[in-house]
Amino acid sequence: MVENSRDAARARADLRFKKQEEAATVRQKAMAEYAAESDARKAKTDKLRALRLAKEAEDLANATAAPAKKPARAKKK
């Protein structure tokens, strides 16, 4: 009878340990996925920011190269 209770206690402990190990593995996998998504989002944001800044610089260069003429004012009588 003592043997059975020891075996049962050991089996419960092994089962609990396996569940804890599985939960830790799932947490690590989730954190790795979260970090990968975060890195991908940051890279995409940086790329889009660089493209936007380049376009703004190009637009600014084109705007200063050919300034728009102001319409003539009407003379007062």
Side-chain angles (χ1 to χ4, degrees), residues 1-75:
M1 180 125 192
V2 174
E3 285 287 321
N4 287 337
S5 64
R6 277 190 204 160
D7 291 340
R10 180 175 292 250
R12 285 192 307 271
D14 286 342
L15 184 61
R16 192 175 324 129
F17 178 75
K18 287 178 184 178
K19 284 183 181 179
Q20 289 174 348
E21 286 294 311
E22 184 178 331
T25 302
V26 169
R27 278 192 300 271
Q28 288 174 345
K29 183 179 178 185
M31 286 303 296
E33 289 175 3
Y34 174 79
E37 288 173 4
S38 178
D39 292 344
R41 187 178 308 114
K42 184 178 181 330
K44 184 176 180 181
T45 301
D46 291 343
K47 177 184 173 185
L48 291 173
R49 181 178 293 125
L51 290 171
R52 178 180 50 84
L53 292 174
K55 183 182 182 312
E56 287 176 356
E58 181 182 339
D59 291 347
L60 184 62
N62 290 340
T64 57
K69 293 184 179 181
K70 293 183 180 180
R73 288 185 163 189
K75 293 184 180 179

